[in-house]
Amino acid sequence: MKVINPANGSLVTEIPTDRPAAISKKFDECKAGLKQLASINMDTRKKYMQKFSDLLTKYEDELAKTLTTEMGKPITQVRTSSL
């Protein structure tokens, strides 16, 4: 699958397409992860969510540039709505 920058039509990257078996395996892994998450107490979940939030903040500039390149959305909108 080609990822195209909608602003200028240039190729950003190319991602290999998964076969149905690989998609099924990933889906099964997600379901197993959800079951595992359900067994984790709320305090630990909060710590995981805080860590995720911290990483989003740490990589805000990089993530904003990626979203702008891949979606063609102005970077100011990406920063205020997505991150």
Side-chain angles (χ1 to χ4, degrees):
M1 174 174 73
K2 293 180 181 181
V3 178
I4 305 295
N5 181 332
N8 61 21
S10 67
L11 179 66
V12 175
T13 191
E14 199 158 340
I15 302 168
T17 304
D18 275 341
R19 295 177 183 253
I23 294 170
S24 180
K25 181 178 183 239
K26 290 175 183 179
F27 181 74
D28 290 341
E29 289 171 352
C30 286
K31 287 193 308 186
L34 187 58
K35 286 181 183 178
Q36 186 177 16
L37 179 63
S39 69
I40 297 173
N41 70 51
M42 190 56 69
D43 287 335
T44 302
R45 286 189 206 188
K46 287 178 186 177
K47 289 177 187 175
Y48 290 153
M49 293 304 294
Q50 185 60 55
K51 177 65 174 176
F52 181 68
S53 176
D54 292 345
L55 289 169
L56 284 176
T57 301
K58 179 178 178 179
Y59 294 103
E60 178 179 3
D61 291 338
E62 183 179 339
L63 292 167
K65 287 176 188 174
T66 299
L67 287 171
T68 297
T69 301
E70 292 180 359
M71 299 176 65
K73 194 170 187 176
I75 199 159
T76 52
Q77 288 182 7
V78 170
R79 288 179 185 274
T80 59
S81 65
S82 298
L83 299 177

